[in-house]
Amino acid sequence: MSAALGLKAKPIASEATDDDSDISALINRLTAEVNQIAIDKTKSIQQITNQMKMLALNALIESSRAGAQGAGFAVVAQEVRGVGQQVETIARELETQLTKRTGDLVASIERMSQRSRGERMVDLSLNAIELIDRNLYERTCDVRWWATDSAVVDCAASPGAAAVSHASQRLGVILGAYTVYLDLWLCDLDGNVIANGRADRFRVVGQNVAHTKWFREARSLRSGDDYVAGDVENQPLLGNAQVATYCASVRDGGQANGAPIGVLAIHFDWEPQARAIVQGVRVGDSDKARVLLVDSNFRVIAASDGQGILSERISLSLDGQRSGFYQDRSGTMVAFHATPGYETYRGLGWYGVIVCGA
């Protein structure tokens, strides 16, 4: 089991996506340049044809003054005028066709660029939620393992002063090695905390937690192989810190099928661990992105900007999908991916979400 987070955001095709972005920008720029050249050149042609028409008009005027002697010249002037009009028509058609096609190309490139950006953000959303899933899977392993520790089992079976002291010492040793936890609590079946690992810091022994959702669920676990994974919450008994609580039942003899004799609750120090994940997602500065983890009720439980944690709820348009991206009415891109779970940890319906500024 990992003693610390030990997981960093994987660079999901970051070089490739940067290259794609550069190529897209280059094509966009070149297309715009071609479009501008076409417009400039057709304008030049139109200027020349205007001059030809003006010359033809002047020639007609002069030929009319010359009378019969200018009749042949008048025919040439009319031809020049006709050629000028034909060239002008061709130039206008050329401008219309070129600008339409280059405009379509620019729009198509923009759509491709947006799609590529959106798919990248979905991948990064998955990356964030996968990292937390893998980390929390380890927490479920930890709690089931430590619930079989002989000091914990003995204390739950007979919580005398010596047993409590030994169990507290043992829990403290675990906390010294596993820095991702705030505290470990051993509770009896009535919900009374009978030992904890940081008794000098958190005076929780004697407190009753029978009203909590995680304890009630842990009290009903069918075997020592099962566990409870709680949603993120502020824990008043731990200084109102943000924690994710994991529980397993302590059983007679430390056996998975033994009779339940207590509950072990481990409190994962959520805020710094989750912050490391969302701030480690490799979005670019130009994306103006806010990386989030949200629970099944779309409540923000982690945010790269540190805002709205456990108080803000976001509006996600899932449209029945587990992953995807879309633009809201303000033009903001929103990418999301549902928890895939990891090994025996099925997840709690959380999402990785990235909100990109317009």
Side-chain angles (χ1 to χ4, degrees), residues 14 47 49 58 68 76 96 126 156 166 172 190 232 249 260 284 308 346 356 358:
S14 59
Q47 288 175 352
T49 55
N58 289 334
V76 174
T96 299
L126 172 60
H166 183 48
D190 293 322
V232 180
S249 56
R346 296 181 301 275
C356 298

Side-chain angles (χ1 to χ4, degrees), residues 37-53 83-95 98:
I37 290 171
I39 292 173
D40 291 344
K41 295 302 181 185
T42 52
K43 284 182 178 178
S44 297
I45 292 172
Q46 287 171 347
Q47 288 175 352
I48 293 171
T49 55
N50 286 337
Q51 290 175 350
M52 289 177 65
K53 288 193 292 184
V83 170
Q85 288 175 335
Q86 289 179 348
V87 172
E88 183 180 28
T89 299
I90 292 170
R92 286 176 178 171
E93 290 176 350
L94 177 64
E95 180 181 13
L98 278 176

Side-chain angles (χ1 to χ4, degrees), residues 49 65-66 113 120 130 141-142 172 177 213 229 303 322:
T49 55
R65 289 177 179 173
S113 176
R120 174 172 174 261
E130 271 191 323
C141 295
D142 289 346
K213 183 171 181 278
R322 289 183 57 79

Side-chain angles (χ1 to χ4, degrees), residues 98-179:
L98 278 176
T99 53
K100 181 181 184 302
R101 292 187 179 184
T102 53
D104 290 345
L105 181 57
V106 168
S108 177
I109 291 169
E110 179 63 23
R111 287 193 298 271
M112 290 172 60
S113 176
Q114 283 293 94
R115 182 169 185 81
S116 175
R117 183 188 184 209
E119 289 174 347
R120 174 172 174 261
M121 292 303 164
V122 172
D123 285 343
L124 290 172
S125 298
L126 172 60
N127 189 214
I129 197 66
E130 271 191 323
L131 282 170
I132 200 65
D133 276 353
R134 293 183 183 189
N135 189 266
L136 298 183
Y137 162 72
E138 292 191 12
R139 311 296 59 96
T140 70
C141 295
D142 289 346
V143 70
R144 286 176 288 176
W145 173 27
W146 297 333
T148 66
D149 186 279
S150 60
V152 170
V153 173
D154 291 345
C155 183
S158 181
V164 168
S165 177
H166 183 48
S168 296
Q169 182 182 26
R170 173 60 183 156
L171 294 176
V173 169
I174 294 172
L175 286 171
Y178 287 75
T179 58

Side-chain angles (χ1 to χ4, degrees), residues 13-286:
S14 59
E15 295 181 1
T17 51
D18 289 344
D19 290 344
D20 290 345
S21 177
D22 291 344
I23 292 171
S24 176
L26 176 61
I27 294 174
N28 224 336
R29 181 171 60 80
L30 291 176
T31 303
E33 289 178 1
V34 169
N35 188 55
Q36 189 59 48
I37 290 171
I39 292 173
D40 291 344
K41 295 302 181 185
T42 52
K43 284 182 178 178
S44 297
I45 292 172
Q46 287 171 347
Q47 288 175 352
I48 293 171
T49 55
N50 286 337
Q51 290 175 350
M52 289 177 65
K53 288 193 292 184
M54 186 61 66
L55 286 172
L57 179 62
N58 289 334
L60 285 172
I61 292 171
E62 292 300 322
S63 67
S64 66
R65 289 177 179 173
Q69 294 178 347
F73 191 62
V75 173
V76 174
Q78 289 285 11
E79 288 295 322
V80 170
R81 172 186 269 181
V83 170
Q85 288 175 335
Q86 289 179 348
V87 172
E88 183 180 28
T89 299
I90 292 170
R92 286 176 178 171
E93 290 176 350
L94 177 64
E95 180 181 13
T96 299
Q97 292 176 6
L98 278 176
T99 53
K100 181 181 184 302
R101 292 187 179 184
T102 53
D104 290 345
L105 181 57
V106 168
S108 177
I109 291 169
E110 179 63 23
R111 287 193 298 271
M112 290 172 60
S113 176
Q114 283 293 94
R115 182 169 185 81
S116 175
R117 183 188 184 209
E119 289 174 347
R120 174 172 174 261
M121 292 303 164
V122 172
D123 285 343
L124 290 172
S125 298
L126 172 60
N127 189 214
I129 197 66
E130 271 191 323
L131 282 170
I132 200 65
D133 276 353
R134 293 183 183 189
N135 189 266
L136 298 183
Y137 162 72
E138 292 191 12
R139 311 296 59 96
T140 70
C141 295
D142 289 346
V143 70
R144 286 176 288 176
W145 173 27
W146 297 333
T148 66
D149 186 279
S150 60
V152 170
V153 173
D154 291 345
C155 183
S158 181
V164 168
S165 177
H166 183 48
S168 296
Q169 182 182 26
R170 173 60 183 156
L171 294 176
V173 169
I174 294 172
L175 286 171
Y178 287 75
T179 58
V180 298
Y181 296 107
L182 273 179
D183 205 2
L184 312 180
W185 298 350
L186 175 59
C187 308
D188 64 21
L189 294 180
D190 293 322
N192 299 305
V193 180
I194 57 177
N196 71 312
R198 290 197 169 118
D200 57 334
R201 181 176 171 187
F202 303 114
R203 300 185 181 279
V204 296
V205 172
Q207 296 288 338
N208 187 277
V209 294
H211 63 284
T212 62
K213 183 171 181 278
W214 48 263
F215 179 83
R216 293 196 307 269
E217 291 179 354
R219 184 71 174 77
S220 302
L221 290 173
R222 291 178 296 178
S223 79
D225 295 326
D226 299 320
Y227 63 86
V228 170
D231 270 316
V232 180
E233 63 178 1
N234 292 114
Q235 175 50 254
L237 297 178
L238 296 174
N240 220 34
Q242 298 169 17
V243 298
T245 300
Y246 292 79
C247 302
S249 56
V250 181
R251 296 189 170 251
D252 190 28
Q255 300 299 311
N257 58 354
I261 56 176
V263 168
L264 180 66
I266 64 176
H267 300 289
F268 182 64
D269 191 6
W270 172 260
E271 194 277 331
Q273 315 304 329
R275 173 166 33 89
I277 286 178
V278 293
Q279 291 185 349
V281 174
R282 295 185 60 180
V283 292
D285 292 339
S286 61

